[in-house]
Amino acid sequence: MAHTDTGAHDTAGVLVRARSGDVSAEILAYARDRVQAVVDHPGMPALTGEVRIDRAAAHRAEQPWSAVAEVRAGHAVVIVHAREATGRELADRLQDRLRERLGRAVRDGTAHRTVAPRWRGGATARRP
């Protein structure tokens, strides 16, 4: 089995890589630039995580490009999914979703967090 370069590159703590060999170096570089723009956004804390980009092998797929991003900002974890028809559209959509959801998580603290159940000493949720 031959080794293929997945194009994994670290963007200030967020790894951007391709899942399959169908992702060109140009699209991967463009996606890396879009993720770097989110990382460099003013007010954004240090981010760690991974972005995986894939292209479906079936030519009949309407949206063959997909991406999954799992990014941690402090204790907050943000998971973003995107599907698009082209690699550039995918990178742009991913940038928009990451910026919006990370901004909300940092500002409001509304990211996915594990909460201990009441019987383990966790806080009780009060209803208005």
Side-chain angles (χ1 to χ4, degrees):
M1 180 187 254
H3 172 72
T4 57
D5 182 21
T6 59
H9 295 282
D10 193 9
T11 305
V14 179
L15 180 71
V16 178
R17 68 180 182 95
R19 267 199 238 173
S20 67
D22 291 343
V23 179
S24 69
E26 176 189 348
I27 296 299
L28 200 56
Y30 186 75
R32 196 175 324 112
D33 290 343
R34 299 292 126 217
V35 171
Q36 185 66 42
V38 173
V39 170
D40 292 342
H41 193 72
M44 198 63 67
L47 303 175
T48 58
E50 182 178 40
V51 176
R52 294 179 303 276
I53 299 174
D54 196 12
R55 182 175 181 198
H59 298 295
R60 64 187 176 276
E62 289 182 28
Q63 296 180 324
W65 291 88
S66 64
V68 177
E70 297 175 20
V71 180
R72 180 177 294 277
H75 294 290
V77 177
V78 175
I79 300 172
V80 175
H81 298 268
R83 292 190 74 97
E84 285 298 327
T86 67
R88 286 187 172 268
E89 290 175 358
L90 176 75
D92 293 338
R93 172 73 52 108
L94 187 66
Q95 177 188 12
D96 293 341
R97 288 185 177 176
L98 270 174
R99 181 177 290 147
E100 187 263 329
R101 292 189 185 161
L102 281 168
R104 186 180 333 140
V106 169
R107 182 179 60 250
D108 302 336
T110 57
H112 298 286
R113 294 183 186 207
T114 304
V115 179
R118 252 186 349 177
W119 54 270
R120 284 196 146 171
T124 59
R126 293 185 179 185
R127 296 184 179 175

